[in-house]
């Protein structure tokens, strides 16, 4: 089942557009700027961030100066192009823009780093206005008519591939900003963006308020008997003794997901599921919290945006920034996968139903029963219990094993450097070529959650770029990996859940992609300018390595005794209910595309798509689109399929490492020279071809899942 891939050169920053593509003026209050501050002196020392001497005032003042310098620099470039024209867009526009961006990129990276790691040094009230101001300033170069015209009229015949990708990025961003439109239509587009921003804010507010309305308190300890410590800590009102209760269930995503898998009480599971599926829906008594009409307004605004820019629908517009290239290609590929996944899902659910009946369950399985019985069946089939695996995954052991894997595959060395940083838990590593004494990059690791670290309860992870990996800047690439793992406690070292371990591997793939880029320009370095459906490919490849028995053995060992656990059949575990899980992802991907490519009411779309993906009955109260923020207010509008697409391509990439008599060093070197080196300087379809020698296919993904 071959997948046809489009290799047009399109960027991925579709969502970062200014509300107003023309400068109509805005007012942002910044602190008084000292004009005598040299570039980077306040925040950098010996070409490294001087974290120990940083203060909130120093960060804000320095970043404010760099914002003003950058905006002035853009105006100078514009004026030069308008006055004298442009004979060499790379030398006269692209390179000067890169140079004036360098200081702002670094100061913004440092400030963002502090915001994600220390609410004391960089409180949200200080950071958020700066962040929005910086986004507007950085985006201004894409909405300059002079710069757009210079790029559009440039002769690309003598440009390098990388130069062409950068110039094409400016051309597409400008076109999607409406710079090709007549003034009246550009004003109409700006008004559409304003109205849409208001609707998105309203949608988010209603969703947040209505989701916080649900709480259920559990007093019966028999309900929580099998629940893991991580879930009990999230639910317990007594944080010092989470096993004692009482326990409160909310709709916080991580808590809700774990609760559905471990709660033995079917009525409680239904209660949580129905509350979650009806967030901001018309089933709520308070009509001020209903999102249905707001959703339809957002759809209408996105359709207007697409119409003004010359596209059939917003879904068609979205494909401009996707590796897939066209809506038809996506629909065909997802449809082909569904044809394989749906029959498998039906068989899996029949087996799961029998498994539940054999253990005393009465009646037919419903959606809210699947996570609980899936966990039970997986435990029976594979003797796999995530809650007992945690003692065998101490963070230091996992971390050492992960670095060792990368050293073997990519001929690298990771050397920790002792530094005085923003918290004692933070560590710094230099990355060296195996045969060199000069580091090629460096990164900070801030692994644990703590009270002054924002979003500690989210279990999320962030890669923050401080110094981009672009040759034109001649600076050591620097990034930070921010995690929220449980710290050492009760005399035990930091221990990882299986989900934590997967998160660490995936994010480490992302940080290497950021740091090991060998391109010239920041605009195409790392994950910048990588098409949306290709951004997660490298992270997913790292997840495949984690499932290798030898790799698992290298990262595991009991924290106290060093005893090795039995190596679980990780690939078989991934295949458990693989058809059902894939159908679930395909349903959300199809729902997203239908919402932004048809005029049908969202409820009608749900009713039409459900039976094509599930044998389970559809609950008419299920109002997923009313709270599916990823595809309504966030960046995955008409792009949710990107998650499946990236996993599909990553599975095919990984097969290169599993072929008979493979030379791992050679394949690892080729992976580094393509997926880690090219960044966004080469179309992702071409990156795959240079790595694999052919176009990708969905066969490898379906085979990995045991569906083919």
């Amino acid at each position: 089942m071959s997948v046809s891939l489009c290799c047009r050169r399109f960027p991925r920053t579709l969502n970062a557009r200014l509300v107003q593509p023309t400068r109509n003026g805005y007012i942002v209050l910044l602190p008084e700027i000292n004009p005598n501050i040299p570039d980077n002196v306040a925040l950098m020392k010996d070409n490294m961030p001087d974290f120990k001497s940083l203060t909130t005032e120093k960060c804000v003042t320095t970043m404010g100066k760099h914002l003003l310098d950058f905006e002035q620099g853009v105006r100078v470039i514009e004026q030069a192009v308008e006055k004298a024209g442009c004979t060499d867009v790379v030398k006269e526009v692209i390179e000067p823009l890169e140079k004036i961006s360098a200081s702002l990129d670094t100061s913004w990276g440092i400030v963002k780093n502090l915001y994600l790691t220390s609410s004391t040094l960089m409180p949200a009230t200080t950071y958020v206005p700066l962040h929005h101001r910086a986004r507007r300033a950085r985006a201004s170069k894409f909405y300059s008519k002079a710069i757009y015209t210079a790029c559009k009229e440039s002769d690309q015949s003598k440009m390098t591939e990388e130069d062409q990708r950068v110039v094409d990025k400016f051309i597409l961003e400008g076109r999607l900003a409406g710079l090709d439109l007549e003034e009246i239509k550009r004003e109409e587009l700006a008004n559409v963006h304003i109205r849409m921003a208001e609707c998105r804010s309203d949608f988010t507010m209603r969703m947040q308020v209505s989701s916080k309305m649900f709480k259920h308190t559990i007093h019966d300890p028999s309900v929580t008997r099998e629940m893991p410590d991580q879930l009990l800590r999230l639910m317990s009102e007594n944080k010092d003794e989470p096993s004692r209760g009482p326990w409160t269930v909310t709709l916080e995503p991580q808590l809700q997901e774990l609760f559905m898998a471990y709660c033995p009480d079917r009525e409680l599971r239904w209660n949580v599921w129905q509350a979650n599926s009806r967030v901001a829906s018309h089933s709520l008594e308070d009509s001020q919290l209903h999102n249905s009409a707001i959703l339809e307004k957002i759809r209408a605004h996105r359709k207007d945006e697409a119409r003004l820019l010359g596209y059939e629908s917003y879904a068609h517009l979205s494909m401009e920034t996707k590796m897939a290239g066209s809506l038809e290609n996506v629909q065909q590929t997802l449809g082909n996968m569904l044809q394989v996944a749906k029959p498998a899902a039906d068989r899996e659910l029949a087996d799961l139903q029998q498994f539940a009946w054999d253990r005393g369950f009465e009646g037919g399985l419903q959606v809210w029963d699947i996570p609980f019985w899936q966990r039970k069946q997986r435990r029976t089939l594979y003797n796999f219990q995530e809650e007992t695996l945690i003692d065998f995954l101490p963070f230091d052991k996992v971390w050492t094993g992960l670095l060792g894997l990368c050293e073997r595959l990519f001929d690298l060395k990771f050397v920790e450097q002792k530094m005085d940083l923003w918290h004692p838990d933070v560590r710094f590593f230099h990355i060296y070529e195996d045969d060199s004494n000069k580091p090629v990059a460096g990164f900070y690791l801030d692994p644990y959650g703590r009270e002054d670290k924002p979003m500690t309860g989210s279990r999320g992870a962030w890669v923050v770029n401080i110094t981009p990996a672009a040759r034109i800047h001649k600076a050591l690439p620097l990034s930070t990996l921010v995690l929220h793992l449980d710290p050492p406690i009760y005399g035990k070292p930091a221990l990882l859940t299986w989900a934590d371990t997967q998160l660490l591997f995936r994010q480490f793939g992302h940080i290497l992609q950021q740091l090991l880029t060998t391109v010239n320009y920041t605009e195409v370095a790392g994950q910048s300018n990588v098409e949306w459906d290709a951004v997660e490919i490298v992270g997913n490849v790292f997840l495949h390595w984690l499932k290798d028995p030898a790799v698992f053995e290298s990262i595991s060992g009991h924290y106290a005794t060093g005893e090795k656990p039995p190596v679980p059949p990780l690939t078989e575990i991934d295949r458990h209910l693989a058809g059902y899980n894939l159908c679930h992802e395909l349903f959300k991907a199809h729902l997203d595309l239908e919402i932004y490519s048809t005029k049908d009411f969202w409820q009608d779309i749900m009713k039409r798509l459900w039976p094509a993906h599930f044998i389970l009955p559809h609950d008419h109260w299920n109002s997923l689109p009313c709270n599916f923020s990823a595809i309504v207010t966030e960046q995955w509008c008409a792009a949710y399929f990107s998650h499946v697409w990236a996993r599909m391509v990553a599975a095919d990439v990984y097969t290169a490492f599993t072929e008979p008599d493979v030379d791992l060093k050679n394949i690892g070197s080729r992976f580094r020279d393509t997926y880690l080196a090219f960044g966004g300087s080469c179309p992702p379809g071409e990156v795959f071809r240079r790595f694999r020698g052919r176009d990708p296919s969905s066969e490898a993904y379906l085979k990995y899942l045991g569906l083919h």
Side-chain angles (χ1 to χ4, degrees):
M1 193 184 306
S2 181
V3 180
S4 173
L5 297 175
C6 174
C7 298
R8 288 174 291 168
R9 301 178 177 90
F10 291 124
R12 60 180 292 263
T13 53
L14 187 62
N15 67 316
R17 204 157 302 116
L18 286 176
V19 170
Q20 292 280 8
T22 56
R23 285 197 187 88
N24 294 326
Y26 47 81
I27 298 175
V28 177
L29 296 180
L30 286 173
E32 184 176 347
I33 305 299
N34 178 0
N36 298 316
I37 299 178
D39 285 349
N40 279 345
V41 165
L43 306 186
M44 302 285 284
K45 183 178 181 180
D46 298 327
N47 295 318
M48 295 287 287
D50 188 17
F51 282 112
K52 283 305 293 182
S53 71
L54 296 187
T55 64
T56 305
E57 181 182 3
K58 187 183 292 186
C59 289
V60 172
T61 302
T62 305
M63 185 175 169
K65 180 181 186 300
H66 292 161
L67 278 165
L68 297 177
D69 289 345
F70 176 80
E71 290 171 329
Q72 175 62 23
V74 171
R75 285 193 289 271
V76 169
I77 294 170
E78 285 179 318
Q79 291 166 2
V81 170
E82 290 170 342
K83 182 178 180 180
C86 181
T87 57
D88 187 336
V89 73
V90 174
K91 297 293 184 184
E92 298 170 30
V93 175
I94 302 303
E95 290 184 1
L97 284 172
E98 284 279 323
K99 291 174 182 176
I100 65 171
S101 298
S103 295
L104 176 57
D105 288 343
T106 297
S107 61
W108 191 9
I110 291 172
V111 170
K112 187 185 302 182
N113 183 94
L114 293 178
Y115 164 66
L116 290 170
T117 59
S118 175
S119 57
T120 303
L121 275 173
M122 186 53 58
T125 52
T126 300
Y127 173 76
V128 172
L130 270 178
H131 173 75
H132 290 314
R133 170 69 189 279
R135 286 188 65 180
R136 285 195 293 268
R138 281 282 274 119
S140 64
K141 60 187 175 184
F142 296 117
Y143 307 104
S144 161
K145 186 72 172 179
I147 292 174
Y148 171 68
T149 301
C151 290
K152 189 177 178 182
E153 295 178 352
S154 63
D155 179 7
Q156 297 192 17
S157 63
K158 296 182 181 179
M159 292 183 188
T160 65
E161 179 180 54
E162 181 179 347
D163 290 341
Q164 291 177 31
R165 284 280 285 185
V166 175
V167 172
D168 282 347
K169 177 177 182 177
F170 277 82
I171 293 172
L172 181 60
E173 288 286 358
R175 181 160 58 80
L176 294 181
L179 296 185
D180 272 339
L181 300 179
E182 298 175 355
E183 184 65 28
I184 189 169
K185 286 192 174 182
R186 195 155 68 243
E187 290 179 4
E188 184 180 353
L189 181 63
N191 289 329
V192 167
H193 288 160
I194 292 171
R195 292 193 296 270
M196 186 157 53
E198 293 170 351
C199 287
R200 289 167 62 189
S201 178
D202 198 4
F203 185 98
T204 300
M205 181 275 294
R206 295 175 185 222
M207 193 185 76
Q208 290 175 344
V209 172
S210 60
S211 65
K212 290 178 181 178
M213 292 171 59
F214 176 84
K215 286 186 179 181
H216 181 88
T217 301
I218 300 172
H219 296 278
D220 183 359
S222 67
V223 175
T224 62
R225 185 172 58 248
E226 293 187 9
M227 293 183 181
D229 291 342
Q230 180 186 358
L231 176 56
L232 293 178
R233 284 196 297 271
L234 291 172
M235 292 169 38
S236 178
E237 297 179 10
N238 183 351
K239 300 303 180 184
D240 294 328
E241 296 183 82
S243 61
R244 293 191 61 178
W247 304 272
T248 300
V249 185
T250 68
L251 299 183
E252 190 276 320
Q254 184 190 13
L255 187 159
Q256 185 258 344
E257 182 179 347
L258 286 170
F259 182 82
M260 295 300 289
Y262 284 92
C263 176
D265 188 315
R266 191 188 192 200
E267 186 175 340
L268 284 181
R269 291 200 304 270
W270 172 83
N271 193 30
V272 173
W273 180 87
Q274 63 83 25
N276 192 59
S277 67
R278 301 181 191 183
V279 165
S281 74
H282 53 284
S283 66
L284 301 178
E285 291 184 5
D286 187 352
S287 62
Q288 296 298 312
L289 297 178
H290 296 179
N291 260 344
S292 179
I294 301 295
L295 170 62
E296 293 303 311
K297 287 182 180 179
I298 291 174
R299 292 178 67 193
H301 293 326
R302 293 200 183 280
K303 184 172 180 59
D304 286 341
E305 179 183 14
R307 172 183 55 80
L308 287 165
L309 293 171
Y311 294 91
E312 181 180 338
S313 72
Y314 188 80
H316 287 85
L317 183 155
S318 174
M319 295 304 131
E320 294 281 39
T321 56
K322 307 303 181 293
M323 174 184 180
S326 72
L327 181 59
E328 294 72 25
N329 190 30
V330 174
Q331 290 172 330
Q332 180 182 354
T333 303
L334 298 187
N336 289 341
M337 285 196 279
L338 182 60
Q339 287 181 2
V340 177
K342 177 62 164 56
D346 294 349
R347 294 191 297 271
E348 292 165 353
L349 291 183
D351 289 343
L352 189 66
Q353 177 73 76
Q354 188 61 54
F355 176 85
W357 280 339
D358 291 345
R359 283 150 184 79
F361 180 79
E362 298 179 356
L365 290 174
Q366 300 288 342
V367 177
W368 50 88
D369 298 314
I370 305 302
F372 177 78
W373 288 107
Q374 179 180 6
R375 180 184 63 83
K376 287 282 191 180
Q377 189 181 47
R378 185 171 61 236
R379 174 177 175 177
T380 300
L381 291 174
Y382 308 112
N383 192 30
F384 181 71
Q385 302 180 63
E386 292 189 20
E387 56 270 30
T388 59
L389 190 60
I390 187 171
D391 286 344
F392 294 89
L393 294 172
F395 174 76
D396 286 341
K397 178 71 173 176
V398 175
W399 180 250
T400 301
L402 173 57
L403 296 187
L405 170 68
C406 295
E407 289 179 343
R408 293 190 301 274
L409 287 173
F410 308 131
D411 283 330
L412 298 172
K413 290 189 298 184
F414 298 88
V415 179
E416 185 169 2
Q417 307 289 329
K418 296 300 181 183
M419 291 186 179
D420 199 4
L421 300 168
W422 61 89
H423 190 275
D425 290 339
V426 182
R427 302 160 69 179
F428 178 79
F429 294 82
H430 270 134
I431 304 177
Y432 293 86
E433 300 281 4
D434 201 28
D435 57 354
S436 172
N437 293 321
K438 184 178 180 181
V440 295
F443 66 92
Y444 303 89
L445 171 70
D446 192 341
Y448 308 129
R450 51 182 179 269
E451 287 187 5
D452 73 332
K453 193 173 180 181
M455 295 171 278
T456 284
S458 69
R459 219 66 175 187
W462 288 264
V463 172
V464 182
N465 290 324
I466 296 175
T467 305
R471 289 172 178 164
I472 199 168
H473 298 317
K474 298 181 176 61
L476 186 73
L478 294 173
S479 294
T480 302
L481 178 56
V482 182
L483 303 166
H484 294 90
L485 307 173
D486 291 333
I489 192 172
Y490 303 135
K492 293 183 179 181
L495 301 174
L496 305 188
T497 65
W498 181 237
D500 292 336
T501 307
Q502 293 180 87
L503 178 67
L504 176 60
F505 266 67
R506 184 170 61 246
Q507 292 298 320
F508 199 71
H510 292 323
I511 201 169
L512 288 188
Q513 191 176 16
Q514 293 292 131
L515 292 173
L516 299 181
T517 299
T518 57
V519 301
N520 292 308
Y521 306 112
T522 302
E523 293 295 346
V524 292
Q527 293 184 328
S528 180
N529 201 47
V530 176
E531 280 75 351
W532 290 42
D533 44 356
V535 168
E536 297 179 10
I537 290 175
V538 171
N540 279 297
V541 171
F542 270 68
L543 284 182
H544 280 281
W545 278 316
L546 175 58
K547 311 299 171 55
D548 181 272
V551 174
F552 179 82
E553 186 173 1
S554 74
I555 67 167
S556 60
H558 194 277
Y559 73 90
T561 66
E563 175 192 359
K564 292 289 185 181
V567 178
L570 297 171
T571 299
E572 292 300 316
I573 291 168
D574 266 4
R575 291 175 176 174
H576 184 238
L577 261 62
Y580 173 79
N581 294 334
L582 180 55
C583 282
H584 193 259
E585 284 297 288
L586 292 174
F587 170 74
K588 291 190 286 187
H590 278 129
L591 175 66
D592 175 37
L593 292 175
E594 289 283 300
I595 281 177
Y596 292 113
S597 64
T598 72
K599 297 179 181 179
D600 297 348
F601 186 51
W602 66 263
Q603 277 188 320
D604 296 330
I605 296 174
M606 286 273 289
K607 291 176 183 177
R608 172 161 45 83
L609 291 178
W610 187 272
H613 294 77
F614 303 107
I615 197 173
L616 298 170
H618 175 247
D619 187 311
H620 73 280
W621 289 110
N622 187 347
S623 302
L624 172 63
C626 292
N627 52 75
F628 198 178
S629 59
I631 70 166
V632 181
T633 63
E634 298 173 18
Q635 62 184 356
W636 299 107
C637 310
Y640 192 85
F641 79 91
S642 299
H643 302 299
V644 174
W645 194 277
R647 288 195 289 271
M648 177 188 76
V649 177
D652 206 353
V653 169
Y654 183 71
T655 58
F657 293 88
T658 62
E659 293 175 344
D661 302 320
V662 66
D663 183 343
L664 288 179
K665 282 266 188 179
N666 179 269
I667 299 296
S669 177
R670 195 160 78 232
F671 183 83
R672 179 181 169 184
D673 290 342
T674 52
Y675 275 98
L676 300 185
F678 284 158
S681 69
C682 181
E686 183 61 24
V687 174
F688 184 93
R689 278 188 285 275
R690 294 181 189 179
F691 174 71
R692 208 71 181 91
R694 57 169 174 79
D695 285 336
S697 161
S698 61
E699 295 287 338
Y701 184 46
L702 294 174
K703 184 177 180 180
Y704 172 78
L705 294 177
L707 301 176
H708 212 283

